[in-house]
Amino acid sequence: MKNRIEELRKDRGMTQEELADRLEVSRQTIGSLENGRYNPSILLAFKIARCFEMAIEDVFQYEYEKEE
């Protein structure tokens, strides 16, 4: 799953620490999300979307796997 967290955070002039504080997670969690090493729980995904005042689909994009 891809996400736009880093782009949206930077557009709003926020640091990883500031976003982490707003979401009540660690800065390391934000870094892992931005680097694609971690997919959030559905609850955290909704909190992130709400923080950016966007629909969840506008923050996260699921990549479909091609069937061979």
Side-chain angles (χ1 to χ4, degrees):
M1 176 167 36
K2 289 190 174 195
N3 70 68
R4 299 176 53 212
I5 297 171
E6 182 175 14
E7 169 194 346
L8 296 169
R9 175 181 60 76
K10 287 181 176 181
D11 284 349
R12 286 157 177 78
M14 297 172 71
T15 65
Q16 285 185 341
E17 189 71 36
E18 290 169 332
L19 180 58
D21 288 345
R22 287 185 70 178
L23 297 172
E24 300 176 330
V25 298
S26 69
R27 188 207 53 78
Q28 289 81 4
T29 296
I30 300 302
S32 292
L33 287 165
E34 290 181 352
N35 291 315
R37 292 188 306 261
Y38 171 69
N39 288 324
S41 68
I42 191 69
L43 179 61
L44 181 54
F46 274 106
K47 286 175 76 173
I48 292 167
R50 191 172 336 152
C51 178
F52 292 124
E53 299 178 340
M54 300 178 82
I56 200 167
E57 299 88 4
D58 294 329
V59 179
F60 298 94
Q61 297 85 39
Y62 177 74
E63 293 182 315
Y64 294 95
E65 295 179 20
K66 292 182 181 178
E67 293 186 27
E68 295 184 45

